Amino acid sequence: MNYQPIMPYINLAQHLIGQQRNPEARRLTSTIIVGYQEQHEVTYDLNYWESIERVYVDRTLVVTKPMRTHYVQVHVLELMVGVHEKHHVRYEYDREVWNYKNCPIYLRVYVDGYLIETKEV
């Protein structure tokens, strides 16, 4: 009996069961404060299993994007924050393409070209 056609469904079921056990398993979240005079709280939330990137500025959702980076090594998301005091915020999502199931995921946060934070899941 050939079980090859059902293997993708078995793999999906294993991922969903794992997600129910630990929903935060492959989630990257980063919160930074941007600005000196005009301060803003910027939160980046990447849920790998939902494949959705979200960015909140002062707890208001400003960006919701489907993550189409499953086969791309480095994905970049950029935005400007502030009205009177503008800052360029850049998020770099980095992972190995060939070993995507077991590889660590890195998130680097840049503000005005300076590396502010690096996270790994």
Side-chain angles (χ1 to χ4, degrees):
M1 193 172 233
N2 187 0
Y3 292 103
Q4 291 293 10
I6 64 169
M7 287 307 292
Y9 298 109
I10 292 173
N11 290 339
L12 178 63
Q14 289 173 343
H15 285 300
L16 293 175
I17 290 169
Q19 181 184 6
Q20 289 174 352
R21 284 191 205 135
N22 187 4
E24 302 297 317
R26 298 289 271 187
R27 184 175 213 129
L28 276 175
T29 303
S30 169
T31 301
I32 60 172
I33 302 295
V34 176
Y36 300 104
Q37 306 296 327
E38 176 187 352
Q39 292 191 345
H40 298 282
E41 179 182 284
V42 182
T43 302
Y44 176 84
D45 180 34
L46 169 67
N47 188 329
Y48 185 78
W49 297 115
E50 288 180 354
S51 295
I52 295 178
E53 294 176 296
R54 295 179 181 95
V55 178
Y56 300 88
V57 176
D58 296 330
R59 297 190 177 120
T60 303
L61 182 65
V62 293
V63 177
T64 300
K65 282 179 59 176
M67 183 185 73
R68 302 191 194 281
T69 60
H70 292 289
Y71 299 105
V72 177
Q73 185 169 356
V74 177
H75 173 68
V76 176
L77 177 69
E78 298 178 313
L79 65 139
M80 294 298 288
V81 176
V83 177
H84 302 293
E85 182 183 343
K86 294 187 185 244
H87 294 280
H88 180 253
V89 179
R90 175 185 173 108
Y91 292 97
E92 287 184 0
Y93 165 84
D94 186 8
R95 60 186 279 257
E96 287 184 37
V97 177
W98 306 112
N99 187 15
Y100 67 92
K101 288 186 180 177
N102 300 320
C103 72
I105 298 173
Y106 299 100
L107 178 69
R108 287 185 287 281
V109 182
Y110 296 88
V111 175
D112 296 331
Y114 295 102
L115 180 64
I116 301 298
E117 181 179 36
T118 301
K119 284 199 164 191
E120 175 184 345
V121 170

